[in-house]
Amino acid sequence: SWEEQGSDFDMINYIARERIEITPGVWNKATQKIDTTNNKFNVSFAKNRSFTHLKETPMWCGGDEDIEINRNAYIDKKAQRGTKILRKAVRVSGILLQVTVFSISSKDDNFPMLRFIGYDPSRSQRMILELPS
């Protein structure tokens, strides 16, 4: 990917080669069809959704399966996301929360940092607690 190359030229080259899609024809609003009769073409960009390092996967995907699902995902600060080790529904003070725990390895420490993410679906609120190693 262009991020590994580190230059503007490489980024533009990557976009031109990997993200632009050129298809023959243009959309005709009147006929509601692609019109390929006049040698015109359509240029579009392939889209990818990007995520923060707090990205979560479905409840049933953890460990190696979580890593495989996110292999091609665009995650900002991917190394800081860690590995999902637990996801569980827990009732805290009468509120049902979805709690996910990530283990985040550090090169300097022997013990990983733990990140707890509690999500309250009734209010669409996320709470984060990080325990240093």
Side-chain angles (χ1 to χ4, degrees):
S1 77
W2 70 268
E3 294 141 332
E4 296 164 356
Q5 304 300 317
S7 75
D8 292 342
F9 174 79
D10 291 324
M11 177 184 67
I12 292 168
N13 192 34
Y14 172 79
I15 291 170
R17 291 177 181 261
E18 304 292 333
R19 308 309 299 163
I20 290 178
E21 297 174 354
I22 301 174
T23 54
V26 292
W27 183 253
N28 185 322
K29 291 181 183 179
T31 63
Q32 294 290 303
K33 293 182 180 177
I34 300 286
D35 179 7
T36 58
T37 60
N38 51 16
N39 292 328
K40 291 184 179 180
F41 58 90
N42 188 28
V43 176
S44 60
F45 290 94
K47 297 177 185 174
N48 278 90
R49 185 170 175 197
S50 60
F51 303 91
T52 70
H53 65 285
L54 301 174
K55 179 188 184 300
E56 296 182 54
T57 49
M59 184 181 298
W60 56 88
C61 300
D64 291 340
E65 192 174 10
D66 180 69
I67 292 168
E68 183 60 31
I69 285 174
N70 290 304
R71 182 173 312 285
N72 294 319
Y74 291 95
I75 301 174
D76 186 36
K77 302 176 187 172
K78 198 170 196 170
Q80 294 178 14
R81 180 177 181 267
T83 303
K84 181 174 25 174
I85 58 175
L86 176 70
R87 182 151 180 193
K88 185 176 182 172
V90 179
R91 192 170 296 277
V92 177
S93 300
I95 300 171
L96 187 61
L97 300 176
Q98 297 172 9
V99 177
T100 308
V101 182
F102 290 89
S103 171
I104 302 151
S105 298
S106 171
K107 294 176 185 172
D108 302 333
D109 299 318
N110 293 331
F111 299 101
M113 179 177 87
L114 295 177
R115 176 182 296 126
F116 294 80
I117 301 176
Y119 179 71
D120 178 358
S122 67
R123 292 194 239 158
S124 296
Q125 284 186 321
R126 182 176 11 199
M127 296 146 279
I128 300 170
L129 171 67
E130 293 182 345
L131 299 177
S133 57

